[in-house]
Amino acid sequence: MRSQFLALIALIAIPAHAQVGEQVRRMLNGDLDAPPDHDTAYVASYRSNLVLSAVVKYQMQDVDIEQDQGSTLSYSANNMEQYGVALDFKWLSVEATFDVPAWSDHDPTLGKTSTRGFGLGYTGRRLWGRAFINTTEGYYLADPVQWTGSPEPHVRPDLENRTFMLSANYALSGKRRFSQKAAMTQMERQKKSAGSFVAGLSAWHTDISADSSLLSPALVDTFQLVSGFDALKRWMVGATIGYVHTFSFWHKGFIHAALLPGLAYTQQEIGTPLGKLSGTGVAAVTEMRLGAGFNGDRWYGALITSFYYSTTPIAEQLNLGTNYGLVRFALGIRLGDPGVKALHKVGL
């Protein structure tokens, strides 16, 4: 009797499990039996192909103490290259990169910098989102003569910057002629030039820490701070609106551009020798992209630059800015449908 009962449960559960998997696939990918969800005169889709890419990144990640009137004190990373791989399939994008000291073009006198990053993304027809985290350890002071009076490098191996970003964007054009997949992951091809106004939401968390103050005692008065600071945590949630466009030429070549400015609510906490200071306010945020590449039937190569910038007040007439910019080169190949049934459970 017990075995018959278990068999009955299995017969019920298996179709239910399959139905749930089908619902997930439809939610993430749309109705695969329906007509194409895009203008086929403008977009060629390779959505069922697994895309494997080798990735090289040249990144810039600065910590800037900005005076409303006066110069900006900047800490920069010494090692700017990251290497890694990316996998793209249907709606999913995964990328992992890290620094390889033997391949890095760095100045040994400016100290050692260690970097690593991880990104995860969803890309639909009109809605796309991405989350990534990047950690950088080890900075040096730019223009030491101005701030220390000596040309000797001022190295901060203790300075660490951990950045987490989450963004979601929605294409306002209902013509479905612009492809974000063609612009960023090359899972599609932009056959004819097209663009769209885009509205988005973004969240940004920055965690900066050091063993001692980012400002030497001699600079506290210069920057009009009661004391130095050795830590900062900042949370930002904001909205952006802008325009994205991909120019197509020679059938398989493309140039992509995007500008998404916005405002964000920010909350921050600063660690000082006198204790923690916290406050809230409004910050400016901007995302800019420019890229170009070749997008063939099987192989593709793309070079894309992205830049993210935010600045918020930390004292009277004084701001702290964080910049994250990168140049990303990817060389990829389309391998076809992997045919792994387990992927169906997550809508792939």
Side-chain angles (χ1 to χ4, degrees), residues 139-152:
Y139 283 78
Y140 67 91
L141 178 64
D143 195 8
V145 173
Q146 179 179 358
W147 303 110
T148 67
S150 170
E152 293 298 318

Side-chain angles (χ1 to χ4, degrees), residues 134-187:
N134 191 87
T135 301
T136 302
E137 302 171 11
Y139 283 78
Y140 67 91
L141 178 64
D143 195 8
V145 173
Q146 179 179 358
W147 303 110
T148 67
S150 170
E152 293 298 318
H154 183 69
V155 178
R156 294 297 302 266
D158 60 310
L159 181 57
E160 178 179 349
N161 184 355
R162 181 177 289 108
T163 299
F164 174 79
M165 293 189 66
L166 176 67
S167 64
N169 293 282
Y170 184 76
L172 300 179
S173 174
K175 296 181 179 180
R176 301 175 182 265
R177 292 176 174 176
F178 170 78
S179 170
Q180 178 73 359
K181 293 181 181 181
M184 298 302 296
T185 62
Q186 286 70 57
M187 286 190 291

